[in-house]
Amino acid sequence: MAATETRRQITEAADALFYERGFEATSFADIAAAVGLSRGNFYYHFKTKDEILEAVIDLRMANTRAMLAGWAAGADEPAGRIRSFIHMLIANRAGIMAHGCPVGTLCSELAKLDHVAKDRAAELFGLFRDWLALQFSALGRGDDAERLALHLLVRSQGIAALATAFRDETFIRREAAAMETWLAGELPGLAKSDLSIPNA
Amino acid sequence: MAATETRRQITEAADALFYERGFEATSFADIAAAVGLSRGNFYYHFKTKDEILEAVIDLRMANTRAMLAGWAAGADEPAGRIRSFIHMLIANRAGIMAHGCPVGTLCSELAKLDHVAKDRAAELFGLFRDWLALQFSALGRGDDAERLALHLLVRSQGIAALATAFRDETFIRREAAAMETWLAGELPGLAKSDLSIPNA
DNA sequence: GTCTATATGGGGATAGAC
DNA sequence: GTCTATCCCCATATAGAC
């Protein structure tokens, strides 16, 4: 197999395992087994665990950018795009209840380890913050755009944290709906009908 | 030294280390060194790591109950008690920026490990939820008490998660203030002056 | 590029002397 | 109750054959 393809497979397997089990709790052997590779060969592709982490963060940055671009393409109005962000909580509820938010839990773990990559992981939050701020700016809230963006991140992170602890789907839906109500209040020009709660 | 006293010291050292470095990342040797004990002797007091975790959760439950009782004793009005909860974010900001919320990060780590104690750790959230709900009930919001309590937990958890990632103290103060504004809006009978932002 | 075999270190955990 | 010595396993990481 081509080295780049194997590297891609390793990175994707590590991405999933880091999310499901955590960075420290995932061993080389776990990743190698997931890809169907021997431990020895593994080191041909990645020399250290930190190198894998770097590749995983790069992958998540790329995936996040693609997701945000998809949301932007999927809705003409900034309010609808923000709703896509909120809806993510419902769409990913199973994973969130089992393993939390991939971004928040990674940042938290790396902060405790005082890992060199902790700031790079925080840039994942930065992507969401900047993208949300852009939508609020387009809605005429330029002065408050970053504050409003961070407030949405706060609530989504809090929902994820408590959903992991209590594993209560109703709670997620209710708090997501409350976020939409808040959004409507911040954007008085918006029609109520544009802010119904997603069911998917 | 008396066994109970040594056990207490171990539990407190483990409590701090689990918070600062995480449960998995903390080794027996780390805890033993913090207490000034040999590894061998360590096993006289705790047979397994899970046993230490259990003791740490018990300690945190007791400490949390004591803190909540202190807040109740320190303010006659339920609104002031809730403000004590919000103020905790400011008071603990240094620790939160470095290591996150002790409750949220422990629940998150144990969930990923699928650890047997994950539900016991979630009961720490339960203590806050029930205590906050009690205050809202006393304020005549009995029907919504749990929902309002969980909303406060959501926002405090989200603030902790993002504060850890961005290490921005201004952000913490601003979001804490926003929580107080929200609280004022939920309790229309409350005087504005009762809801000023703590500075400590 | 992939494998097996292996080095090395640290983790949890135990035995037994004092 | 405390210590030293030790066991075993699994982790990261390397060497070298194929």
Side-chain angles (χ1 to χ4, degrees):
Chain A
M1 201 185 304
T4 53
E5 168 64 10
T6 304
R7 199 184 152 91
R8 214 208 77 240
Q9 285 187 19
I10 291 174
T11 309
E12 285 186 358
D15 181 22
L17 287 169
F18 288 176
Y19 174 44
E20 293 163 13
R21 305 186 195 174
F23 171 66
E24 274 231 277
T26 302
S27 70
F28 276 2
D30 291 334
I31 306 171
V35 186
L37 226 59
S38 77
R39 257 168 301 163
N41 185 18
F42 196 97
Y43 284 88
Y44 174 80
H45 301 280
F46 288 97
K47 284 179 188 65
T48 68
K49 203 178 177 182
D50 289 352
E51 221 174 286
I52 306 175
L53 176 62
E54 221 176 306
V56 166
I57 294 176
D58 286 344
L59 176 66
R60 290 192 185 183
M61 289 289 282
N63 287 347
T64 301
R65 277 189 238 269
M67 182 172 65
L68 295 173
W71 290 347
D76 290 338
E77 293 299 314
R81 295 172 175 176
I82 297 172
R83 282 185 64 235
S84 294
F85 170 80
I86 298 172
H87 184 262
M88 174 179 54
L89 287 164
I90 314 281
N92 298 344
R93 63 192 184 277
I96 289 170
M97 288 190 286
H99 315 108
C101 166
V103 180
T105 53
L106 182 64
C107 285
S108 156
E109 184 177 1
L110 296 184
K112 277 193 204 285
L113 297 174
D114 202 17
H115 195 283
V116 286
K118 69 177 176 180
D119 288 330
R120 292 200 55 226
E123 283 174 36
L124 287 162
F125 272 136
L127 287 181
F128 284 101
R129 177 198 58 206
D130 295 345
W131 184 88
L132 287 169
L134 207 64
Q135 310 312 319
F136 281 113
S137 288
L139 286 161
R141 298 296 301 268
D143 291 352
D144 283 335
E146 184 167 306
R147 196 201 91 222
L148 296 167
L150 282 170
H151 182 74
L152 277 180
L153 281 178
V154 160
R155 293 173 72 156
S156 64
Q157 281 301 299
I159 293 167
L162 287 161
T164 307
F166 291 129
R167 295 192 293 282
D168 181 344
E169 184 174 328
T170 305
F171 158 79
I172 300 178
R173 292 184 183 276
R174 192 214 307 142
E175 279 292 327
M179 280 175 81
E180 301 214 50
T181 303
W182 169 85
L183 181 62
E186 290 293 331
L187 309 171
L190 218 63
K192 275 273 176 185
S193 61
D194 287 345
L195 290 166
S196 60
I197 305 157
N199 286 317
Chain B
M1 199 184 306
T4 53
E5 168 62 11
T6 304
R7 198 184 152 92
R8 213 208 78 240
Q9 284 185 20
I10 291 174
T11 309
E12 285 186 358
D15 180 23
L17 287 168
F18 288 176
Y19 175 43
E20 293 162 14
R21 306 185 194 174
F23 171 67
E24 274 232 277
T26 302
S27 70
F28 276 1
D30 292 333
I31 305 171
V35 186
L37 225 60
S38 76
R39 259 167 299 161
N41 185 17
F42 197 96
Y43 285 87
Y44 174 79
H45 300 280
F46 287 98
K47 286 178 187 64
T48 68
K49 202 178 178 183
D50 288 353
E51 220 174 286
I52 306 175
L53 176 61
E54 221 176 306
V56 166
I57 294 176
D58 285 344
L59 176 66
R60 290 192 185 183
M61 290 289 283
N63 288 347
T64 301
R65 278 188 237 267
M67 182 172 66
L68 295 173
W71 291 347
D76 289 338
E77 292 300 314
R81 295 172 175 176
I82 297 172
R83 282 186 64 235
S84 295
F85 170 80
I86 297 172
H87 184 262
M88 173 180 53
L89 287 164
I90 314 283
N92 298 345
R93 63 191 183 279
I96 289 170
M97 287 190 287
H99 315 108
C101 165
V103 181
T105 54
L106 181 65
C107 284
S108 156
E109 184 177 0
L110 296 184
K112 275 192 205 288
L113 297 174
D114 202 17
H115 195 285
V116 285
K118 68 177 177 179
D119 288 330
R120 292 200 55 223
E123 283 174 36
L124 287 162
F125 272 137
L127 288 181
F128 284 101
R129 178 199 57 205
D130 295 346
W131 184 88
L132 287 169
L134 207 62
Q135 310 311 319
F136 281 112
S137 287
L139 286 162
R141 298 294 304 265
D143 290 352
D144 282 335
E146 183 167 305
R147 196 202 89 221
L148 296 167
L150 282 170
H151 182 75
L152 277 180
L153 282 178
V154 159
R155 293 173 72 156
S156 63
Q157 282 301 299
I159 293 168
L162 288 161
T164 308
F166 291 129
R167 295 192 294 281
D168 181 345
E169 185 173 328
T170 305
F171 157 78
I172 300 179
R173 291 185 183 278
R174 192 215 307 143
E175 278 292 328
M179 279 175 82
E180 301 215 50
T181 304
W182 169 85
L183 181 61
E186 289 293 331
L187 309 170
L190 219 63
K192 274 272 175 185
S193 61
D194 287 343
L195 290 166
S196 60
I197 306 157
N199 286 316

